[in-house]
Amino acid sequence: MAQVLERPAESKTPAAPSPAERTARRRALLEWIAVHSLGVAAALFFTLPFVFVLLTSLMSDSQALSRDLIPHTWEWSNYRKVFDTPGFLTWWKNTLIYAGLGTVLTVLSSVPVAYALAKFRFRGRNLTLMLVISMMMLPPQVVVIPMYLFWAKQLDLSGTLWPMIIPMAFGDAFSIFLLRQFLMTIPNEYVDAAKVDGCGDLRTLLKVILPMAKPGIAAIALFQFFNAWNDYFGPQIYASENPGAWTLSYGLESFKGAHHTDWNLTMAATVLVLAPVILVFFFAQKAFVEGVTLTGVKG
Amino acid sequence: MAATYTLKAKHRRSRLRTLAFLSPWLIGFTVFFAYPMISTVYFSFMHYDGFRPPTWSGTKNWKYVFESYPFFWPALRNTLWLVVIMVTLRVLFGLGIGMLITKIKTGTGVFRTLFYLPYLAPPVAATMAFAFLLNPGTGPVNSMLESIGIPAPGWFNDPNWSKPALTMLALWGVGDLMVIFMAALLDVPREQYEAAELDGATPWQRFRYVTLPNISPIIMFAVVTGVIGAMQYYTQPLVAGKVASGVIQGAGTSFQPGYPEYSTLTLPQLVYNLGFQRFDYGSACVVALVLFALSMAFTALLMRRRGGLIQAGD
């Protein structure tokens, strides 16, 4: 191997390199090889689960129970079978309602709060911020008993998506914190200039801050969408009694139940839950980069 | 600017304005945090099954949870195991992958995306995938292990291997840590490395005396948020246990959590088990308060006035 590594070096510099140069160069090349082999090994660790899930989702029923890794016949109809399963399309619809409506409400309610925390000076601001952070860190299980009793017994809303959606109209702690951090990077001079021009607080927020805050808002919208999409505990508490209100993340597990040993169909369903998230990522990654470079409001 | 804000005439109006802007969250905080928090404390001293009106029971629920409820101590032990082993490995692995990605010079973007994607996988989908991959009978991982002559473990079906299997799942989703470590590593001033190199520092010494001090706030951040995450660990152990034990899910299904043999039981699962499977809301609130105390202790670490990682400041 060493000879292969030296050849291009010698063709460049006809004069024989000094021994020190030679060891340095050899070391650099060995490091390149080591780093990239490690990279490939890590890439396999991160990618192979996806590959095996995808391959199994395309196997026949009997083959999914065997130890084969590659499908003999490619059963694309597995995906149609998943869509034909009663409830699957309803779960899609519910998830989109939960994630979509929840995201819109979170953004609408969190933006003014984050703005006040970032740009207003008032007594108790640090205390408010600390409470926001504490709420962000709070496991949902801590308050779930009274919350469940509130939604189910007092408002009779269990078996619907509303106990999960309505709270999002009142600001989400993580979104507030993230957006506040983002707004802190926008210089106060913009706010002051708007004031001088006679803008009220609301106009300043809508006309001056919001256009600059787009990347931050995109980030909280994305996080909130993923949170709702991934949520298992919420639907388990509030929607489990009514399969008509299940979401994809919650229904997916029951899929395994309904089709005991059908790993192929279960994995096809898993792919169908995974795929949108990954698609959104590739789509939104670009929006992120664009947003950051377009605004460019640093210092 | 300060002058405009201190003008007395504007003071009252600015207070109203602040309240108006904060109002969504102030209402949310009261209805979805303060009120339920007080109720949780209240219910922890009540006997309540959700049907008959709650009755005062003193410290009975507390005694029950700590002395007779068979799941509490195994769950606390498991949570501590996850806090120590899983968080440590995740931080080390995240740092390792972060360092690796800063060293990779060819195809960086592709590698970074591949390393990051698993982090986005919905927990249920990721757990189902791992339950299949690590399935002792037909799973591809064991097929491969056996084909090279390594005795294959039972993973999610073996109490000794279920937590390591969950740890592998957590390592797979290390993309978030990779990103923050990568950013921190790229921020280390290059001159410090050059100075160390001139002094003849070995690679280990450069890591120990240049890299580590520079990224230690991020390591702390990863540790504390990891610990809080471990406190909340719910979906993955529950789904892994359900899938591995072959339980069918649906309304009214009772699932003994922690399959196999309590090994995947975590504290949040107890709240569900006590409250929504046994209808003992009082005892569920006791566990909820234990969980609250633990997570707030770690949150306080994150917000310490000096040396804290999240500062209010301006």
Side-chain angles (χ1 to χ4, degrees):
Chain A
M1 188 162 66
Q3 282 161 344
V4 180
L5 303 181
E6 277 163 32
R7 207 168 291 144
E10 273 168 351
S11 68
K12 253 185 206 164
T13 44
S18 72
E21 260 181 318
R22 198 179 275 194
T23 39
R25 211 173 284 161
R26 190 174 296 177
R27 187 174 292 162
L29 257 148
L30 281 176
E31 199 189 299
W32 190 95
I33 290 165
V35 162
H36 286 77
S37 336
L38 266 176
V40 170
L44 286 177
F45 171 70
F46 288 117
T47 335
L48 277 183
F50 289 119
V51 173
F52 284 133
V53 166
L54 209 58
L55 287 176
T56 306
S57 76
L58 293 168
M59 286 180 182
S60 65
D61 297 355
S62 58
Q63 210 202 337
L65 286 172
S66 74
R67 299 197 134 201
D68 298 338
L69 297 179
I70 312 284
H72 297 309
T73 51
W74 301 80
E75 304 284 339
W76 295 98
S77 60
N78 286 345
Y79 284 88
R80 221 195 45 231
K81 282 187 202 155
V82 171
F83 271 107
D84 287 343
T85 308
F88 195 75
L89 283 174
T90 315
W91 302 341
W92 265 90
K93 195 190 75 195
N94 290 338
T95 310
L96 287 175
I97 293 174
Y98 176 22
L101 204 54
T103 302
V104 172
L105 289 175
T106 301
V107 170
L108 287 180
S109 58
S110 302
V111 164
V113 183
Y115 178 59
L117 282 174
K119 297 294 175 207
F120 291 179
R121 297 172 160 271
F122 56 92
R123 265 177 62 193
R125 187 175 69 161
N126 282 358
L127 179 73
T128 314
L129 188 68
M130 272 166 68
L131 288 175
V132 169
I133 295 171
S134 307
M135 261 178 93
M136 185 170 92
M137 298 298 178
L138 193 77
Q141 288 82 9
V142 170
V143 290
V144 74
I145 301 287
M147 283 327 298
Y148 171 78
L149 296 173
F150 173 70
W151 291 112
K153 308 258 165 183
Q154 272 163 282
L155 300 179
D156 198 24
L157 282 174
S158 66
T160 71
L161 296 167
W162 296 112
M164 294 172 268
I165 295 174
I166 294 170
M168 295 179 167
F170 297 96
D172 166 70
F174 178 71
S175 307
I176 293 171
F177 178 70
L178 196 85
L179 195 58
R180 183 258 181 192
Q181 299 300 85
F182 187 86
L183 293 178
M184 293 294 281
T185 64
I186 297 180
N188 288 333
E189 282 76 23
Y190 285 99
V191 180
D192 298 333
K195 288 264 157 64
V196 170
D197 290 346
C199 276
D201 288 306
L202 203 59
R203 261 172 71 98
T204 311
L205 172 59
L206 293 177
K207 301 276 175 195
V208 180
I209 299 296
L210 277 194
M212 285 190 279
K214 270 184 198 152
I217 290 171
I220 66 166
L222 211 68
F223 275 115
Q224 200 56 35
F225 192 85
F226 282 160
N227 272 343
W229 192 276
N230 293 346
D231 188 16
Y232 177 89
F233 187 64
Q236 186 191 25
I237 296 296
Y238 298 112
S240 61
E241 63 188 62
N242 171 19
W246 286 6
T247 60
L248 274 176
S249 272
Y250 188 66
L252 178 61
E253 192 209 352
S254 82
F255 204 89
K256 157 76 180 78
H259 302 264
H260 266 330
T261 43
D262 295 349
W263 278 116
N264 52 347
L265 294 191
T266 309
M267 287 304 112
T270 303
V271 170
L272 289 171
V273 176
L274 271 167
V277 175
I278 289 169
L279 274 180
V280 170
F281 167 72
F282 279 115
F283 176 71
Q285 194 187 26
K286 206 174 151 212
F288 268 128
V289 177
E290 269 176 2
V292 172
T293 45
L294 272 177
T295 48
V297 279
K298 282 260 168 74
Chain B
M1 186 176 76
T4 25
Y5 282 100
T6 49
L7 278 177
K8 286 230 164 166
K10 290 199 170 180
H11 196 73
R12 184 208 286 271
R13 199 145 36 109
S14 94
R15 231 186 13 219
L16 277 175
R17 163 202 76 166
T18 305
L19 273 179
F21 275 76
L22 290 179
S23 60
W25 187 76
L26 289 176
I27 298 169
F29 178 79
T30 315
V31 179
F32 304 115
F33 180 79
Y35 153 75
M37 218 36 243
I38 294 166
S39 305
T40 302
V41 177
Y42 166 79
F43 281 126
S44 75
F45 296 105
M46 305 300 277
H47 178 77
Y48 188 40
D49 59 10
F51 300 103
R52 279 159 300 184
T55 52
W56 176 259
S57 70
T59 54
K60 237 183 187 164
N61 295 328
W62 293 82
K63 281 213 184 88
Y64 171 69
V65 166
F66 291 123
E67 286 167 14
S68 350
Y69 181 51
F71 296 154
F72 180 76
W73 295 106
L76 189 65
R77 269 199 301 276
N78 287 338
T79 294
L80 290 177
W81 192 100
L82 294 167
V83 163
V84 176
I85 312 269
M86 187 156 121
V87 174
T88 309
L89 289 179
R90 231 179 83 89
V91 171
L92 288 178
F93 192 62
L95 178 57
I97 294 291
M99 288 174 69
L100 183 64
I101 199 79
T102 59
K103 292 256 193 304
I104 287 178
K105 296 286 183 284
T106 316
T108 316
V110 177
F111 278 109
R112 205 171 44 200
T113 307
L114 290 181
F115 295 174
Y116 186 72
L117 276 184
Y119 166 67
L120 295 174
V124 178
T127 312
M128 302 272 292
F130 265 63
F132 159 71
L133 293 167
L134 300 174
N135 165 18
T138 57
V141 171
N142 278 9
S143 305
M144 291 192 299
L145 285 179
E146 275 164 26
S147 70
I148 52 171
I150 295 173
W155 302 113
F156 289 119
N157 292 89
D158 178 346
N160 295 317
W161 281 95
S162 54
K163 279 191 287 287
L166 286 171
T167 306
M168 268 175 59
L169 174 58
L171 293 183
W172 188 60
V174 84
D176 56 335
L177 289 188
M178 171 196 75
V179 170
I180 65 162
F181 276 129
M182 187 183 72
L185 288 165
L186 293 174
D187 265 357
V188 180
R190 292 210 58 80
E191 309 86 67
Q192 294 188 12
Y193 285 118
E194 281 154 18
E197 211 148 344
L198 283 178
D199 289 344
T202 62
W204 165 249
Q205 283 170 329
R206 263 176 289 163
F207 175 76
R208 172 70 189 78
Y209 297 105
V210 178
T211 312
L212 219 47
N214 273 295
I215 64 165
S216 64
I218 301 299
I219 293 180
M220 254 307 273
F221 181 82
V223 169
V224 177
T225 51
V227 169
I228 291 166
M231 293 283 148
Q232 308 188 8
Y233 205 49
Y234 181 81
T235 308
Q236 291 89 333
L238 182 67
V239 173
K242 276 189 180 176
V243 176
S245 67
V247 160
I248 300 174
Q249 171 195 358
T253 314
S254 71
F255 169 67
Q256 198 77 283
Y259 176 88
E261 290 175 40
Y262 308 155
S263 65
T264 57
L265 205 58
T266 61
L267 286 175
Q269 281 173 272
L270 300 190
V271 180
Y272 184 80
N273 178 254
L274 281 166
F276 299 97
Q277 292 181 307
R278 299 177 181 225
F279 302 103
D280 180 353
Y281 291 120
S283 303
C285 286
V286 173
V287 178
L289 288 172
V290 172
L291 200 57
F292 175 71
L294 286 173
S295 51
M296 281 307 113
F298 288 109
T299 303
L301 256 183
L302 200 62
M303 295 195 294
R304 267 179 316 173
R305 195 164 280 267
R306 254 142 62 82
L309 297 155
I310 296 178
Q311 265 139 9
D314 30 319

